Amino acid sequence: MGVIPIVNENDTLAVSEIRFGDNDTLSAITAAMVQADYLFLMTDVDCLYDKNPRTHPDAVPIEVVKDVASLEADVNSAGSSLGTGGMSTKLVAARLATSAGVTTVITRSSNPGNIANIVQYSQSLKDAQNGVSSQPSTPADDDSLSRSTALLHLDGLSKPPLHTRFLPDLEPIRDRSFWLLHGLAAHGTIFIDEGAHRALASKAGLLPVGVVDVEGHFAQQEAVRIVVVPSKFKILSGLPNGIPNRDIKTPLEIGRALVNYSAAEISRIKGLQSTQIERVLGYADSEYVALRENVSLIKRENRPVTPSFPPTPRNVSYEDAMGDSSSRTDMS
């Protein structure tokens, strides 16, 4: 379409229900929602380095990153005068965007013309690599010739401006799953046992019998964190954030969900069979605390969850997040 969306989190956008913390995170979520090919995070340095280049002349640039989780780089820099976030927020944004299949680039902002050169170079790399991988099976001599031709094409590419390119995840999370994980502010936490975790992993819904405890204040159809509690774990009632016993392994957040019951209701039916919901509450809107279609699990450790903010009056709708024309709001 030839469209380049430009977004900025400022006073007109930073109301609590659609606040993401910084422009880097906001841009990553936007790129994922529109399924962009590239996300450029512009900064005051050329790329990531293994050490601070301002104090270490021997710092080595990091040009390609396959896995953000395993990255070893110097990120001890505050945001520049032109932005709100430092390099650490750009790494968070890169993890978000690449998990949704978006190639992410960090480069210097003082020369915007670098963008076109980097895209051209990156696209040429993809085309050349696809040419190698798409070659049909041939005798050894022909196969060697085709690979040599492709490698010569790579060698002939002009060197692009210095930058760091984060490769997209080979199994990206898309659309509704991404929206549940990153597009909504979590209003509270539901602690579940390991049996409930296994059921969710097997595509079953979340039943009240698997709920161990609840934290926060939220209403029906609001987003919450799902945290699995190891066996023999004990949450100490009355302490902030459900402080665990020190000798027990800490809980692990495994995903997000839209719930069918409020925090107060779930507190009353936790640990019960679904057939007991109506007897306890006087009604039973659903046998599930959360339907499986309203649950999104974090598939791997290197897939991040957007940092949460305090409870808000309402959430952004799925249609708003996905850009439904019938529910767009003018932000100008």
Side-chain angles (χ1 to χ4, degrees), residues 142-203:
D142 292 342
D143 186 61
S144 297
L145 178 62
S146 65
R147 290 181 180 274
S148 298
T149 302
L151 290 173
L152 284 173
H153 177 68
L154 288 176
D155 291 338
L157 293 177
S158 59
K159 191 69 175 177
L162 197 57
H163 67 283
T164 297
R165 186 170 70 259
F166 299 84
L167 303 184
D169 198 305
L170 296 178
E171 298 179 0
I173 46 179
R174 296 285 195 186
D175 303 334
R176 183 176 177 82
S177 179
F178 188 91
W179 171 72
L180 286 170
L181 280 176
H182 309 298
L184 300 175
H187 291 244
T189 303
I190 293 179
F191 297 90
I192 65 172
D193 60 29
E194 292 174 322
H197 183 199
R198 288 192 294 271
L200 290 174
S202 300
K203 305 299 183 182

Coordinates of all heavy atoms in Angstrom, one line a residue, residues 142-203:
D142 N 26.5 -29.3 -10.5 CA 25.5 -28.3 -10.7 C 25.1 -27.6 -9.5 O 24.9 -26.4 -9.4 CB 24.3 -28.9 -11.4 CG 24.6 -29.4 -12.8 OD1 25.6 -29.0 -13.4 OD2 23.8 -30.2 -13.4
D143 N 25.0 -28.4 -8.4 CA 24.6 -27.8 -7.1 C 25.6 -26.9 -6.6 O 25.3 -25.8 -6.1 CB 24.3 -28.9 -6.1 CG 23.8 -28.4 -4.8 OD1 22.7 -27.8 -4.8 OD2 24.5 -28.6 -3.7
S144 N 26.9 -27.2 -6.7 CA 28.0 -26.4 -6.3 C 28.0 -25.1 -7.1 O 28.3 -24.0 -6.6 CB 29.3 -27.1 -6.4 OG 29.4 -28.2 -5.6
L145 N 27.7 -25.2 -8.4 CA 27.7 -24.0 -9.3 C 26.6 -23.1 -8.9 O 26.8 -21.8 -8.8 CB 27.5 -24.5 -10.7 CG 27.5 -23.3 -11.8 CD1 28.8 -22.5 -11.7 CD2 27.2 -23.9 -13.2
S146 N 25.4 -23.6 -8.6 CA 24.3 -22.7 -8.2 C 24.6 -22.0 -6.9 O 24.3 -20.8 -6.7 CB 23.0 -23.5 -8.1 OG 23.1 -24.5 -7.0
R147 N 25.2 -22.7 -5.9 CA 25.5 -22.1 -4.7 C 26.6 -21.0 -4.8 O 26.5 -20.0 -4.2 CB 25.9 -23.2 -3.6 CG 24.8 -24.1 -3.2 CD 25.3 -25.1 -2.2 NE 24.2 -26.0 -1.8 CZ 23.3 -25.7 -0.9 NH1 23.4 -24.5 -0.2 NH2 22.3 -26.5 -0.5
S148 N 27.6 -21.3 -5.7 CA 28.6 -20.3 -5.9 C 28.1 -19.1 -6.5 O 28.5 -18.0 -6.2 CB 29.7 -21.0 -6.8 OG 30.3 -22.1 -6.2
T149 N 27.1 -19.2 -7.5 CA 26.5 -18.1 -8.1 C 25.8 -17.2 -7.1 O 25.9 -16.0 -7.1 CB 25.6 -18.5 -9.2 OG1 26.3 -19.3 -10.2 CG2 24.9 -17.3 -9.9
A150 N 25.0 -17.9 -6.2 CA 24.3 -17.1 -5.2 C 25.3 -16.4 -4.2 O 25.0 -15.3 -3.8 CB 23.4 -18.1 -4.4
L151 N 26.4 -17.1 -3.9 CA 27.3 -16.5 -3.0 C 28.0 -15.3 -3.6 O 28.3 -14.3 -3.0 CB 28.4 -17.5 -2.5 CG 27.8 -18.6 -1.6 CD1 28.9 -19.7 -1.3 CD2 27.4 -18.0 -0.3
L152 N 28.3 -15.4 -4.9 CA 28.9 -14.2 -5.6 C 27.9 -13.1 -5.6 O 28.3 -11.9 -5.5 CB 29.2 -14.6 -7.1 CG 30.4 -15.5 -7.3 CD1 30.5 -16.0 -8.8 CD2 31.7 -14.8 -6.9
H153 N 26.6 -13.3 -5.7 CA 25.6 -12.3 -5.7 C 25.7 -11.6 -4.3 O 25.6 -10.4 -4.2 CB 24.2 -12.8 -6.0 CG 23.2 -11.8 -5.9 ND1 23.0 -10.8 -6.7 CD2 22.1 -11.7 -4.9 CE1 22.0 -10.0 -6.4 NE2 21.4 -10.5 -5.3
L154 N 25.8 -12.4 -3.2 CA 25.9 -11.8 -1.9 C 27.2 -10.9 -1.8 O 27.1 -9.8 -1.2 CB 25.9 -12.9 -0.8 CG 24.6 -13.7 -0.6 CD1 24.9 -14.8 0.4 CD2 23.6 -12.8 -0.1
D155 N 28.3 -11.4 -2.3 CA 29.5 -10.7 -2.2 C 29.4 -9.4 -3.0 O 30.1 -8.4 -2.6 CB 30.7 -11.5 -2.8 CG 31.0 -12.7 -1.9 OD1 30.6 -12.6 -0.7 OD2 31.6 -13.6 -2.4
G156 N 28.6 -9.3 -4.0 CA 28.5 -8.1 -4.8 C 27.6 -7.1 -4.2 O 27.5 -5.9 -4.7
L157 N 26.9 -7.4 -3.1 CA 26.0 -6.4 -2.5 C 26.8 -5.3 -1.9 O 27.9 -5.5 -1.2 CB 25.1 -7.0 -1.4 CG 24.1 -8.0 -1.9 CD1 23.4 -8.6 -0.7 CD2 23.1 -7.4 -2.8
S158 N 26.4 -4.0 -2.1 CA 27.1 -2.9 -1.4 C 26.9 -3.0 0.1 O 25.8 -3.3 0.5 CB 26.6 -1.6 -2.0 OG 25.2 -1.5 -1.8
K159 N 27.9 -2.6 0.8 CA 27.8 -2.7 2.3 C 26.8 -1.6 2.8 O 26.9 -0.5 2.4 CB 29.2 -2.4 2.9 CG 29.3 -2.7 4.4 CD 29.2 -4.2 4.6 CE 29.4 -4.5 6.1 NZ 29.2 -5.9 6.4
P160 N 25.9 -2.0 3.6 CA 24.9 -1.1 4.1 C 25.4 -0.2 5.2 O 26.5 -0.5 5.8 CB 23.8 -2.0 4.6 CG 24.5 -3.2 5.1 CD 25.6 -3.4 4.2
P161 N 24.7 0.8 5.6 CA 25.1 1.6 6.8 C 25.1 0.7 8.0 O 24.4 -0.3 8.1 CB 24.0 2.6 6.9 CG 23.4 2.7 5.6 CD 23.5 1.4 5.0
L162 N 26.0 1.0 9.0 CA 26.1 0.1 10.2 C 24.8 0.1 10.9 O 24.1 1.1 11.1 CB 27.2 0.7 11.1 CG 27.7 -0.2 12.2 CD1 28.3 -1.5 11.6 CD2 28.8 0.5 13.0
H163 N 24.3 -1.1 11.3 CA 23.1 -1.3 12.0 C 23.1 -2.6 12.7 O 23.9 -3.5 12.4 CB 21.9 -1.2 11.0 CG 21.8 -2.3 10.0 ND1 22.7 -2.4 8.9 CD2 21.0 -3.4 10.0 CE1 22.4 -3.5 8.2 NE2 21.4 -4.1 8.8
T164 N 22.1 -2.8 13.6 CA 21.9 -4.2 14.1 C 20.5 -4.7 13.7 O 19.5 -4.0 13.8 CB 21.9 -4.1 15.7 OG1 23.2 -3.7 16.1 CG2 21.5 -5.5 16.3
R165 N 20.5 -5.8 13.1 CA 19.3 -6.4 12.5 C 18.8 -7.6 13.4 O 19.6 -8.6 13.5 CB 19.4 -6.8 11.1 CG 18.2 -7.3 10.4 CD 18.4 -7.4 8.9 NE 19.2 -8.6 8.5 CZ 20.5 -8.5 8.2 NH1 21.1 -7.3 8.2 NH2 21.2 -9.5 7.9
F166 N 17.6 -7.6 13.9 CA 17.1 -8.7 14.7 C 16.2 -9.5 13.8 O 15.2 -9.0 13.2 CB 16.3 -8.2 15.9 CG 17.0 -7.3 16.9 CD1 17.3 -6.0 16.6 CD2 17.6 -7.9 18.0 CE1 18.0 -5.2 17.5 CE2 18.3 -7.1 18.9 CZ 18.5 -5.8 18.7
L167 N 16.5 -10.8 13.7 CA 15.8 -11.7 12.8 C 14.5 -12.1 13.4 O 14.4 -12.3 14.6 CB 16.6 -12.9 12.4 CG 18.0 -12.6 11.8 CD1 18.7 -13.9 11.4 CD2 17.9 -11.7 10.6
P168 N 13.4 -12.2 12.6 CA 12.1 -12.5 13.1 C 12.0 -14.0 13.5 O 12.7 -14.8 13.1 CB 11.2 -12.2 11.9 CG 12.0 -12.4 10.7 CD 13.4 -11.9 11.1
D169 N 11.1 -14.2 14.5 CA 10.9 -15.6 15.0 C 10.3 -16.4 13.8 O 9.5 -16.0 13.0 CB 9.8 -15.6 16.1 CG 9.9 -16.8 16.9 OD1 9.8 -17.9 16.4 OD2 10.1 -16.7 18.2
L170 N 10.8 -17.7 13.7 CA 10.4 -18.6 12.7 C 9.0 -19.1 12.9 O 8.3 -19.5 12.0 CB 11.3 -19.8 12.6 CG 12.8 -19.4 12.2 CD1 13.6 -20.7 12.2 CD2 12.8 -18.8 10.8
E171 N 8.5 -19.0 14.2 CA 7.1 -19.4 14.5 C 6.4 -18.2 15.2 O 6.2 -18.3 16.4 CB 7.1 -20.7 15.3 CG 7.7 -21.9 14.6 CD 7.7 -23.1 15.5 OE1 7.2 -23.0 16.7 OE2 8.2 -24.2 15.1
P172 N 6.1 -17.2 14.5 CA 5.6 -16.0 15.2 C 4.2 -16.2 15.7 O 3.4 -17.0 15.2 CB 5.6 -14.9 14.0 CG 5.4 -15.7 12.8 CD 6.2 -17.0 13.0
I173 N 3.9 -15.4 16.8 CA 2.5 -15.4 17.3 C 1.8 -14.2 16.6 O 2.4 -13.1 16.4 CB 2.5 -15.2 18.8 CG1 3.5 -14.1 19.3 CG2 2.8 -16.5 19.5 CD1 3.5 -13.9 20.8
R174 N 0.6 -14.4 16.2 CA -0.1 -13.5 15.4 C -1.5 -13.1 16.0 O -2.1 -13.8 16.8 CB -0.4 -14.1 14.0 CG 0.8 -14.4 13.2 CD 1.5 -13.1 12.6 NE 2.4 -13.4 11.6 CZ 3.2 -12.6 11.0 NH1 3.2 -11.3 11.4 NH2 4.1 -12.9 10.1
D175 N -2.0 -11.9 15.5 CA -3.4 -11.5 15.7 C -3.9 -11.6 17.1 O -3.3 -10.9 18.0 CB -4.3 -12.3 14.7 CG -3.8 -12.2 13.3 OD1 -3.2 -11.2 13.0 OD2 -4.1 -13.1 12.5
R176 N -4.9 -12.4 17.4 CA -5.6 -12.3 18.7 C -4.7 -12.8 19.8 O -4.7 -12.2 20.9 CB -6.8 -13.2 18.6 CG -7.6 -13.2 19.9 CD -8.9 -14.0 19.8 NE -9.6 -14.1 21.1 CZ -10.4 -13.1 21.5 NH1 -10.6 -12.0 20.8 NH2 -11.0 -13.2 22.7
S177 N -3.8 -13.8 19.5 CA -2.9 -14.3 20.5 C -2.0 -13.1 21.0 O -1.7 -12.9 22.2 CB -2.1 -15.5 20.0 OG -1.2 -15.9 21.0
F178 N -1.4 -12.4 20.0 CA -0.5 -11.3 20.3 C -1.3 -10.2 21.1 O -0.8 -9.6 22.0 CB 0.1 -10.7 19.0 CG 1.1 -9.7 19.2 CD1 2.5 -10.1 19.3 CD2 0.8 -8.4 19.4 CE1 3.5 -9.2 19.6 CE2 1.8 -7.4 19.6 CZ 3.2 -7.8 19.7
W179 N -2.5 -9.9 20.6 CA -3.3 -8.9 21.3 C -3.6 -9.2 22.7 O -3.5 -8.4 23.6 CB -4.7 -8.7 20.5 CG -5.7 -7.9 21.2 CD1 -5.7 -6.5 21.3 CD2 -6.9 -8.3 21.8 NE1 -6.8 -6.1 22.0 CE2 -7.6 -7.2 22.3 CE3 -7.5 -9.6 22.0 CZ2 -8.8 -7.2 23.0 CZ3 -8.7 -9.7 22.7 CH2 -9.3 -8.5 23.2
L180 N -3.9 -10.5 23.0 CA -4.1 -10.9 24.4 C -2.9 -10.7 25.3 O -2.9 -10.3 26.4 CB -4.6 -12.3 24.5 CG -6.1 -12.6 24.0 CD1 -6.3 -14.1 23.9 CD2 -7.1 -12.0 25.0
L181 N -1.7 -11.1 24.7 CA -0.5 -11.0 25.4 C 0.1 -9.6 25.6 O 0.6 -9.3 26.7 CB 0.6 -11.9 24.8 CG 0.6 -13.4 25.0 CD1 1.6 -14.1 24.1 CD2 0.7 -13.7 26.5
H182 N -0.1 -8.8 24.6 CA 0.6 -7.5 24.6 C -0.3 -6.3 24.4 O 0.2 -5.2 24.7 CB 1.7 -7.5 23.5 CG 2.6 -8.7 23.5 ND1 3.4 -9.0 24.6 CD2 2.8 -9.7 22.6 CE1 4.1 -10.1 24.3 NE2 3.7 -10.5 23.1
G183 N -1.5 -6.5 24.0 CA -2.3 -5.3 23.7 C -3.2 -4.8 24.8 O -3.9 -3.8 24.7
L184 N -3.3 -5.6 25.9 CA -4.2 -5.3 27.0 C -3.4 -5.1 28.3 O -2.5 -5.9 28.6 CB -5.2 -6.3 27.2 CG -6.2 -6.6 26.0 CD1 -7.1 -7.8 26.4 CD2 -7.0 -5.4 25.7
A185 N -3.8 -4.1 29.1 CA -3.2 -4.0 30.4 C -3.8 -5.0 31.4 O -5.0 -5.2 31.4 CB -3.4 -2.6 31.0
A186 N -2.9 -5.8 32.1 CA -3.4 -6.8 33.0 C -4.0 -6.1 34.3 O -3.3 -5.2 34.9 CB -2.3 -7.7 33.4
H187 N -5.2 -6.4 34.7 CA -5.8 -5.8 35.9 C -5.6 -6.6 37.2 O -6.0 -6.2 38.2 CB -7.3 -5.6 35.6 CG -7.6 -4.6 34.6 ND1 -8.3 -3.5 34.8 CD2 -7.3 -4.6 33.3 CE1 -8.4 -2.8 33.7 NE2 -7.8 -3.4 32.8
G188 N -5.0 -7.8 37.1 CA -4.8 -8.6 38.2 C -4.1 -9.9 37.8 O -3.7 -10.1 36.7
T189 N -4.1 -10.8 38.8 CA -3.4 -12.1 38.6 C -4.3 -13.3 39.1 O -4.9 -13.2 40.1 CB -2.1 -12.1 39.3 OG1 -1.3 -11.0 38.8 CG2 -1.3 -13.4 39.0
I190 N -4.3 -14.3 38.3 CA -4.9 -15.6 38.7 C -3.8 -16.6 38.9 O -3.1 -16.9 37.9 CB -6.0 -16.1 37.7 CG1 -7.2 -15.1 37.7 CG2 -6.5 -17.5 38.1 CD1 -8.3 -15.5 36.7
F191 N -3.7 -17.2 40.1 CA -2.7 -18.2 40.3 C -3.4 -19.6 40.1 O -4.5 -19.9 40.6 CB -2.2 -18.2 41.8 CG -1.5 -16.9 42.1 CD1 -2.1 -15.8 42.5 CD2 -0.1 -16.8 41.8 CE1 -1.4 -14.6 42.8 CE2 0.6 -15.6 42.1 CZ -0.1 -14.5 42.6
I192 N -2.8 -20.4 39.3 CA -3.4 -21.7 39.0 C -2.4 -22.8 39.3 O -1.2 -22.6 39.5 CB -3.8 -21.9 37.5 CG1 -2.5 -21.8 36.6 CG2 -4.7 -20.8 37.1 CD1 -2.7 -22.1 35.1
D193 N -2.9 -24.1 39.5 CA -2.0 -25.2 39.8 C -1.5 -25.8 38.5 O -1.8 -25.4 37.4 CB -2.7 -26.2 40.7 CG -4.0 -26.8 40.0 OD1 -4.0 -26.9 38.8 OD2 -4.9 -27.2 40.7
E194 N -0.6 -26.8 38.7 CA 0.1 -27.4 37.5 C -0.8 -28.2 36.7 O -0.7 -28.3 35.5 CB 1.3 -28.2 38.0 CG 2.4 -27.4 38.6 CD 3.5 -28.2 39.3 OE1 3.2 -29.2 39.9 OE2 4.7 -27.8 39.2
G195 N -1.9 -28.7 37.3 CA -2.9 -29.5 36.5 C -3.6 -28.6 35.6 O -3.9 -28.9 34.4
A196 N -4.0 -27.4 36.1 CA -4.7 -26.4 35.2 C -3.8 -26.0 34.1 O -4.2 -25.7 32.9 CB -5.2 -25.2 36.0
H197 N -2.5 -25.8 34.4 CA -1.5 -25.4 33.4 C -1.4 -26.5 32.3 O -1.5 -26.1 31.1 CB -0.1 -25.2 34.0 CG 0.9 -24.8 33.0 ND1 2.3 -24.9 33.3 CD2 0.8 -24.2 31.8 CE1 2.9 -24.4 32.3 NE2 2.1 -23.9 31.4
R198 N -1.4 -27.7 32.6 CA -1.4 -28.8 31.6 C -2.6 -28.8 30.8 O -2.6 -29.0 29.6 CB -1.2 -30.2 32.3 CG 0.2 -30.4 32.9 CD 0.5 -31.8 33.3 NE -0.4 -32.2 34.4 CZ 0.0 -32.0 35.7 NH1 1.2 -31.5 36.0 NH2 -0.8 -32.4 36.7
A199 N -3.8 -28.5 31.4 CA -5.0 -28.5 30.7 C -5.0 -27.4 29.7 O -5.5 -27.5 28.5 CB -6.2 -28.3 31.7
L200 N -4.5 -26.2 30.1 CA -4.5 -25.1 29.1 C -3.5 -25.4 28.0 O -3.8 -25.0 26.8 CB -4.0 -23.8 29.9 CG -5.0 -23.2 30.9 CD1 -4.3 -22.0 31.6 CD2 -6.2 -22.7 30.2
A201 N -2.4 -26.0 28.3 CA -1.5 -26.4 27.2 C -2.1 -27.4 26.3 O -1.7 -27.5 25.1 CB -0.2 -27.0 27.9
S202 N -3.1 -28.1 26.7 CA -3.8 -29.1 25.9 C -5.0 -28.5 25.2 O -5.9 -29.3 24.8 CB -4.2 -30.3 26.7 OG -3.0 -31.0 27.3
K203 N -5.1 -27.2 25.3 CA -6.2 -26.5 24.6 C -7.6 -26.6 25.3 O -8.6 -26.3 24.7 CB -6.4 -26.9 23.2 CG -5.2 -26.9 22.3 CD -4.7 -25.5 22.2 CE -3.5 -25.4 21.3 NZ -2.9 -24.0 21.1

